[in-house]
Amino acid sequence: MPKYQAPRGTRDLLPAEMRTWHDLEALGRELAGLYGYQPIETPLFEDAAVFERAIGTATDVVEKELFRVSSPGGDADRWALRPEATAGVARAYVQHGMQTLPQPVRFSTFGTMFRYDRPQAGRYRQFWQWNVEAIGDTGPAVDAEIIELGLRFLRRAGVSEVEVHLNSIGDGACRPAYVAALVEYLRRFEGTLPELERSRLATNPLRVLDSKDSRMAPILASAPVITDFLCDACREHYQSLQAHLERLEIVPRQAPHLVRGLDYYTRTTFEYFRPGHEGQQSALGGGGRYDGLLELLGAKPTPGIGLALGIDRIAGALGDRNGAAAAAAATRPVAVVVGADPTGTDLRLRMATDLRAAGVAAGADLAQRKLARQLENAARDGAHFAVVIGDELTAGQVQLRDLQAGTQRLVNVAELARELLRAHAGHRHGES
Ligand code: AMP
């Protein structure tokens, strides 16, 4: 085994897999454009306080998983790699005074997140997400827009059968009564609660609903549900959201224990699953409303809602469908420049460079080997044409050999690029 490996919890995305990544990123860009979500990029690291304030210190994401970065110069622990996109986007919204823009402001971003969690299947320390956020709209129509957008992404990506799990976790007006009822219920089991859940009961009781411990399942099955405690405003919001979803022909599954791991959520929370794959590490994405978040970051009260889809998990669900063959096809050259003189690498490189400058995907055999070997390699690389440099070059011509048709003809170098593009396009047209 080589001495140096990718760090635990990370992995290399090799060329075959990059094809899927690029496709999913392009899909995100296309849908963001269609739905009017503008691109934004925020730094991969922020003041740790941005996450501590926004996400909450009594959450797994901050308490256990925040990837803190110590920098030279004594700023130990000041910075942290972003564990999710919303806090950074919200920070940018406040910093750049976007409250003065027409609301809501819709954003989308694609990139890596970092969580220093225990690595396991479907849970990496560096992973990719596609995110959208709509800041400055109380919903519930925009909630439905975002839920539908996530579903569309998953369907267009090729994930068959996706289910939306939906819940409302109320707001500051009604959640306290629910939390009190939950605490009272859980206290009855205090003696049997796993240690982690007992400490959550003390610091952040809602998080117990998020428990990954199988011993909790029977206890939670009969726990009170938040939807029974919603105040009128939250209940109305939730009912109206469901009416909007119905209008979009989306039938969500009610998930009364879906509180999600982050503190800042209010009202709407949702996650996407493939039926039969509903385990802890199986959510393909999720999101929710965060009406309290912007204020925590120093803005006037501003509502918002966002969505994050897990690209690694979506790629996993798609399997190797795009695979190595498709990746190789994408980089297959139209032409490879070869030559009768094995040592004429300068001529071959120059001609390939000119072809590339003219927009032709071209290779050149830069090893000093015989013409027959150069042609063999061009065919192995899947090139459509070989451009053969020989004596005709003194008359400004080269042989253009169609490796697929087995034909050959003389072409003027001045017309070579145009001729290649024309012949290759015609060939591809004939294929489809
Ligand atoms: P979350 O904000 O934790 O709900 O994350 C949104 C989505 O990102 C999840 O539904 C997963 O698909 C994905 N995700 C979250 N954490 C990880 C991780 N550690 N590794 C891979 N994907 C993740």
Side-chain angles (χ1 to χ4, degrees):
M1 198 189 274
K3 182 167 173 205
Y4 295 110
Q5 309 270 320
R8 215 162 96 78
T10 73
R11 67 225 161 89
D12 302 306
L13 295 173
L14 299 179
E17 208 167 357
M18 282 312 297
R19 170 73 187 243
T20 306
W21 249 250
H22 283 163
D23 285 353
L24 293 175
E25 186 172 6
L27 175 59
R29 208 173 295 144
E30 181 199 330
L31 291 178
L34 283 176
Y35 285 67
Y37 286 74
Q38 310 173 74
I40 188 169
E41 237 359 290
T42 63
L44 295 190
F45 65 98
E46 297 267 355
D47 249 303
V50 169
F51 305 120
E52 288 159 355
R53 292 283 293 158
I55 299 171
T57 42
T59 57
D60 281 359
V61 166
V62 167
E63 205 172 50
K64 295 195 292 191
E65 299 167 10
L66 203 56
F67 205 129
R68 293 178 191 273
V69 181
S70 72
S71 49
D75 262 344
D77 278 3
R78 171 161 179 203
W79 313 104
L81 301 182
R82 63 181 186 188
E84 47 98 64
T86 306
V89 171
R91 194 263 314 132
Y93 172 95
V94 177
Q95 179 178 339
H96 301 286
M98 294 195 225
Q99 282 159 306
T100 58
L101 300 176
Q103 305 291 302
V105 186
R106 291 177 165 86
F107 301 103
S108 77
T109 188
F110 182 99
T112 45
M113 307 297 153
F114 303 85
R115 294 184 193 175
Y116 206 78
D117 200 1
R118 194 170 59 80
Q120 49 193 301
R123 197 167 279 276
Y124 301 101
R125 285 179 172 168
Q126 178 181 1
F127 58 99
W128 275 256
Q129 283 185 343
W130 181 61
N131 282 83
V132 298
E133 316 285 344
I135 302 183
D137 186 323
T138 53
V142 74
D143 304 32
E145 171 180 287
I146 283 196
I147 290 171
E148 192 275 337
L149 172 52
L151 262 184
R152 183 166 307 270
F153 183 107
L154 292 167
R155 287 184 184 142
R156 282 277 312 273
V159 184
S160 54
E161 284 197 273
V162 186
E163 202 169 45
V164 183
H165 291 202
L166 184 68
N167 193 23
S168 171
I169 56 165
D171 63 9
C174 51
R175 205 181 313 155
Y178 170 67
V179 172
L182 180 67
V183 168
E184 192 189 314
Y185 171 81
L186 290 172
R187 285 245 162 85
R188 288 192 240 150
F189 303 90
E190 198 148 12
T192 53
L193 288 185
E195 196 182 315
L196 175 64
E197 307 310 333
R198 213 174 314 140
S199 79
R200 281 175 169 166
L201 183 56
T203 55
N204 189 352
L206 271 188
R207 298 294 325 289
V208 180
L209 296 176
D210 230 7
S211 172
K212 296 167 188 153
D213 193 317
S214 58
R215 286 170 291 179
M216 290 303 293
I219 296 175
L220 293 177
S222 313
V225 293
I226 179 118
T227 31
D228 289 340
F229 287 76
L230 296 181
C231 58
D232 289 347
C234 286
R235 181 172 308 109
E236 212 171 282
H237 189 276
Y238 193 40
Q239 282 168 353
S240 178
L241 167 59
Q242 291 173 76
H244 281 81
L245 290 173
E246 202 178 317
R247 182 49 72 97
L248 299 176
E249 290 161 44
I250 294 169
V251 184
R253 189 205 288 194
Q254 303 290 327
H257 287 162
L258 175 59
V259 293
R260 301 192 29 90
L262 318 179
D263 262 5
Y264 56 58
Y265 286 102
T266 51
R267 297 189 169 168
T268 311
T269 58
F270 58 94
E271 279 185 334
Y272 302 96
F273 289 93
R274 286 183 297 156
H277 298 83
E278 276 118 357
Q280 286 285 355
Q281 264 68 256
S282 308
L284 297 175
R289 179 160 280 290
Y290 43 79
D291 292 347
L293 171 66
L294 277 290
E295 222 176 328
L296 289 175
L297 295 173
K300 68 177 198 295
T302 309
I305 180 160
L307 155 75
L309 295 182
I311 298 302
D312 308 72
R313 294 198 192 157
I314 294 169
L318 294 176
D320 191 32
R321 215 180 313 162
N322 289 326
T331 51
R332 206 176 278 163
V334 171
V336 171
V337 183
V338 300
D341 172 11
T343 64
T345 49
D346 56 340
L347 278 180
R348 299 203 280 280
L349 178 59
R350 175 62 206 246
M351 195 162 291
T353 304
D354 290 344
L355 287 173
R356 292 162 180 165
V360 180
D365 201 316
L366 299 180
Q368 301 192 357
R369 50 190 155 211
K370 290 197 179 114
L371 179 59
R373 285 289 310 286
Q374 295 181 46
L375 284 166
E376 265 169 42
N377 288 338
R380 185 205 57 201
D381 290 346
H384 186 177
F385 296 97
V387 173
V388 189
I389 299 178
D391 295 340
E392 306 87 350
L393 192 62
T394 47
Q397 293 186 311
V398 286
Q399 291 284 353
L400 182 58
R401 185 179 294 192
D402 185 326
L403 296 169
Q404 289 164 10
T407 55
Q408 181 164 312
R409 64 199 156 93
L410 273 174
V411 173
N412 288 327
V413 171
E415 283 147 30
L416 182 61
R418 211 172 333 125
E419 187 53 28
L420 278 168
L421 288 172
R422 194 193 58 73
H424 187 63
H427 174 80
R428 284 180 48 171
H429 193 66
E431 258 176 6
S432 57

